Amino acid sequence: MKTIIEPFRIKSVEQITFTTREQRKQILKEAFYNPFKIKAEDIIIDLLTDSGTSAMSSKQWGRLMEGDESYAGAKSFYRFESAVKDLTGYENIIPTHQGRAAESILFKIFRDKGKITINNTHFDTTRANVTVNHLTAVDLPAHNNSELRFKGNMDCDSLVEKIKEVGSENVALIMITITNNAVGGLPVSMENIKQASSIAKKNNIPFFLDACRFAENAFFIKKYEKGFSERTVKSISQEMFSYADGCTMSAKKDALVNMGGFLALNDSNLAEEARNQLIITEGFPTYGGLNGRDLEAIAQGLNEIVDEDYLTYRIRSIEYVGERMLKIGIPIIQPIGGHAIFIDAQKLLSQIPRDQFPGQSLVCSFFLEGGIRSCEIGSVMFGKYNDELQEFIPAPYEYVRMAIPRRVYTQSHMDYVIEVSEEVYRKSKELGGYKIVKEPKFLRHFTAHFAPI
Ligand code: F0G
């Protein structure tokens, strides 16, 4: 088979500034060893996130000029609404400035003190929005006992048990995140979505999708789930959406734009409540938190993302990096997910205790050795200190995520990432831990200060 190549050519480029190891040592120190605090111009390859970092197509840039910026009833809204309805089938489409704004509105309208929300795994902003609305987030991932290819699944046996345990009236919402970002960007099977949906229906509990990487999820279903190989990614996506009552979407991922999102749902009474919230926090219902031109770019992006040449290249390009890391001996989550490589920092840096944040140490090392920015998804993000017990409670895992922006980097950029990984691997046993010297109350990973121990 011939090499799978990027199904696009490059029309506009952005300069990368190179730094030396000595310069990066100083940059890291000045950023308090937190890569979120490093200036983007000091990064050589930025794999912090795949969110809002996509390269837009010439068609998307063209549509920006068609943006109708009318306050109410803009043409751009109706084009956006029709693209989202065509894909999801939902009745009410509510634009927001990004995914978490849709989450904030959703959990506000389901706010009911003491109730729980169940997710295959809540992403950090989802969990934060659940918590500030006095709900309790329960994760039921199935990665340990599900079939190899769909380790993003919800554990449906535990779902039934949990509903029985707390009573269905105490479950505000069931949600499935596609793909399951927090456990490796791994996909959820159609069978699993269907099963969770039927459990939710039986118990009269609303069922939603967190759909920000829906196209990558649908592509995995096409590739690996029985009965889907002849179906288009678009029709698979439509089927996934059909099992839920609505979805939240960060358009910054699988709508190929730099900013945007939406909440979509069937229930018109709930939609009215959601629109009332939208007006308070985001804007009028036909623009939400967005410009008319942004709505145009999302509508176009949703068309482009289901292109199967694009998805073939996308999924293969992630696999390519993962396969080479495995060859070097770097422990990564397998199978390889849809948008990122997840390195098991606990395994690689086994000399660093978990309360000294092995993931943070690895993230710093990737920057120091090669100017690569990655993201800790471990005890910095999800760990806690229990003051009463005076005990550190680690996150379930210590991962470092290298998320690949869509349509941005070429194969030689990725070859560079692999070379730097080899260097980091060689030095891994010499790396030490970190301590937190300053942290905020919520989502500490964004702004915390660290110091080497
Ligand atoms: N849900 C999931 C599964 C996400 O991965 C994200 C964002 C959101 C919701 C929130 O969307 O950023 O538009 O407000 N994830 C980014 C990431 C930040 O790096 O994985 P947002």
Side-chain angles (χ1 to χ4, degrees), residues 49 98-100 103 123 125 177 181 210 213 250 253 401:
T49 179
Q98 64 183 94
R100 69 198 69 183
E103 290 167 359
F123 188 66
T125 60
T177 304
N181 188 6
D210 175 342
R213 299 180 181 88
S250 168
K253 285 87 168 173
R401 186 186 73 173

Side-chain angles (χ1 to χ4, degrees), residues 316-369:
R316 177 62 202 140
S317 66
I318 314 279
E319 237 174 32
Y320 173 83
V321 179
E323 283 168 3
R324 273 152 187 82
M325 284 202 182
L326 283 170
K327 240 186 220 157
I328 295 168
I330 298 175
I332 64 166
I333 295 190
Q334 291 184 75
I336 295 158
H339 67 291
I341 303 296
F342 284 67
I343 301 173
D344 187 337
Q346 198 187 345
K347 237 188 215 161
L348 184 59
L349 309 183
S350 52
Q351 74 276 17
I352 302 178
R354 299 184 67 185
D355 60 356
Q356 293 180 20
F357 310 115
Q360 196 66 21
S361 178
L362 192 57
V363 157
C364 289
S365 175
F366 271 107
F367 179 75
L368 184 65
E369 300 306 337

